[in-house]
Amino acid sequence: MNETLFSALAEPNRLHIVELLRSGPLTVGEVAEQLGFNQPQTSKHLKVLYESGLVEVQPSANRRIYKLRHQPLIELDDWLDSFRRLWEERYDRLEDYLLELQEKDKEQGNKE
């Protein structure tokens, strides 16, 4: 898994930008306005997101329009899925064990 992706998403303001871009492409100015930041500060965050591969930029006249790239998020989801499967297996084993304990309790209750 790409460490720069995690680093980019770990910063709360950049994560918020990703959430904003989930609705569709935005200009730097639109992102800045929604976050309440100045444009240079917003541009720095967008640059980090761009370098991590999370966003792409499309120049349009004198504006830069940013949009999410889906591939890094798909890769992140695939990576997380391996952990989901592991935990599901562990929960299934725990459930089986708890059912086994309940059966033993019932058996002991019937013997008394």
Side-chain angles (χ1 to χ4, degrees), residues 11-64:
E11 205 285 327
N13 293 316
R14 290 193 289 268
L15 183 57
H16 194 164
I17 291 170
V18 168
E19 291 170 348
L20 289 174
L21 293 174
R22 186 172 43 186
S23 301
L26 296 170
T27 65
V28 176
E30 291 167 332
V31 172
E33 183 179 315
Q34 290 189 40
L35 290 177
F37 290 165
N38 60 40
Q39 281 193 291
Q41 185 180 19
T42 303
S43 292
K44 286 180 184 179
H45 286 302
L46 286 165
K47 180 181 179 187
V48 172
L49 291 172
Y50 174 78
E51 289 173 350
S52 74
L54 276 164
V55 300
E56 61 185 54
V57 62
Q58 298 171 333
S60 175
N62 63 345
R63 300 181 322 161
R64 298 174 69 74

Side-chain angles (χ1 to χ4, degrees), residues 102-112:
Q102 287 175 345
E103 282 299 315
K104 285 182 182 178
D105 282 348
K106 285 182 187 177
E107 289 173 10
Q108 287 179 348
N110 289 337
K111 290 181 181 178
E112 294 175 7

Side-chain angles (χ1 to χ4, degrees), residues 56-105:
E56 61 185 54
V57 62
Q58 298 171 333
S60 175
N62 63 345
R63 300 181 322 161
R64 298 174 69 74
I65 301 170
Y66 286 84
K67 74 177 205 173
L68 279 180
R69 290 189 61 244
H70 295 102
Q71 189 58 38
L73 298 171
I74 291 168
E75 291 170 11
L76 177 60
D77 186 54
D78 290 345
W79 182 78
L80 290 170
D81 194 49
S82 67
F83 290 95
R84 282 186 208 105
R85 286 191 306 272
L86 174 71
W87 283 105
E88 286 172 4
E89 289 171 15
R90 289 181 181 183
Y91 285 133
D92 288 345
R93 287 197 312 258
L94 176 61
E95 183 179 24
D96 292 344
Y97 178 70
L98 292 174
L99 289 172
E100 184 181 312
L101 289 177
Q102 287 175 345
E103 282 299 315
K104 285 182 182 178
D105 282 348

